[in-house]
Amino acid sequence: MGGDPGEGLHFVPEGLSSTDMDEEGAGLKLVAFTLVQGATGPELYAAVRNDGETPSCDAGLMFYFIDKAEQLVTTWGGSLLSGRLYRLDDGSGVMIPCIGPGEIAMTGSADLPGDLVIEELGYLKHRFPAFTVDVVPVDAVNVSEVKTVGRGAGNAYMGTLENRLDVAVSDPKITVFPVNRVGRPLGMATSSAAADIPPGGIWTFETTTVDDVGVGHVAYPTVSVPP
């Protein structure tokens, strides 16, 4: 189930539900996930939308995997990637990642515990560690010219990341999620560098490979910004 990216499923395996454990949830809503058996173990990719009226900052997503006997099998948590930086509105100049109202963020892992048997799961639970603070959006980095390139049996992504800040940034990383036609992430490809990018500078990247490129992709950049 869910192997065809054009079939339009928001959740795979179909019928496996996940309940939000947060009463308020910082305005965040789980809108899609893919839980599949990969080549080396279970893999999970998820998409979250901010349905609130304010940015949700330093947000994460934690899953609890419950089997058909109502027993907790394992947990997993990851940071939600938005590709957007916001400046704290307190005069400090500190920038943090946030998910703006209406925006989609994603996360994923190809390294879930090997003893997790997808077919034995009864349901999932999830919660969103996050906080709300006064912030201002910043035009920090931009990703462009992203294209797929064949690499062996898979496909990688090539593109450029531009530093639009007036200060140098460091440790650039790009995470690309191929998606199906309703925006469900099908996999995850990454590239990173221990490098500095000067103001107006460009970093050219090529990611790891994915098996299924779906019908499109979403790319999320992250960089370290000096305080």
Side-chain angles (χ1 to χ4, degrees), residues 100-224:
E103 293 183 346
I104 297 286
M106 294 185 182
T107 189
S109 174
D111 192 29
L112 294 180
D115 57 355
L116 175 63
V117 180
I118 298 173
E119 292 76 14
E120 296 179 358
L121 293 175
Y123 59 93
L124 310 180
K125 292 183 178 181
H126 64 273
R127 54 185 294 267
F128 301 106
F131 68 92
T132 300
V133 66
D134 291 333
V135 289
V136 178
V138 177
D139 183 15
V141 293
N142 181 63
V143 176
S144 61
E145 301 178 0
V146 179
K147 62 181 180 180
T148 58
V149 289
R151 291 290 184 262
N155 287 274
Y157 296 91
M158 295 181 65
T160 60
L161 182 153
E162 177 190 3
N163 177 14
R164 293 186 170 181
L165 296 173
D166 57 4
V167 296
V169 299
S170 59
D171 302 321
K173 180 177 181 179
I174 189 78
T175 306
V176 183
F177 295 88
V179 296
N180 73 344
R181 65 181 175 85
V182 296
R184 173 170 58 85
L186 307 172
M188 183 173 68
T190 63
S191 180
S192 60
D196 295 328
I197 308 175
I202 295 291
W203 172 55
T204 300
F205 61 83
E206 179 174 330
T207 70
T208 55
T209 61
V210 294
D211 295 328
D212 188 348
V213 297
V215 299
H217 61 265
V218 184
Y220 296 103
T222 59
V223 293
S224 296

Side-chain angles (χ1 to χ4, degrees), residues 70-109:
E70 298 286 333
Q71 299 298 308
L72 176 65
V73 179
T74 190
T75 63
W76 176 85
S79 298
L80 285 166
L81 302 173
S82 68
R84 296 286 306 277
L85 286 174
Y86 286 68
R87 181 179 286 110
L88 293 178
D89 193 19
D90 60 0
S92 67
V94 172
M95 298 184 195
I96 57 175
C98 301
I99 310 167
E103 293 183 346
I104 297 286
M106 294 185 182
T107 189
S109 174

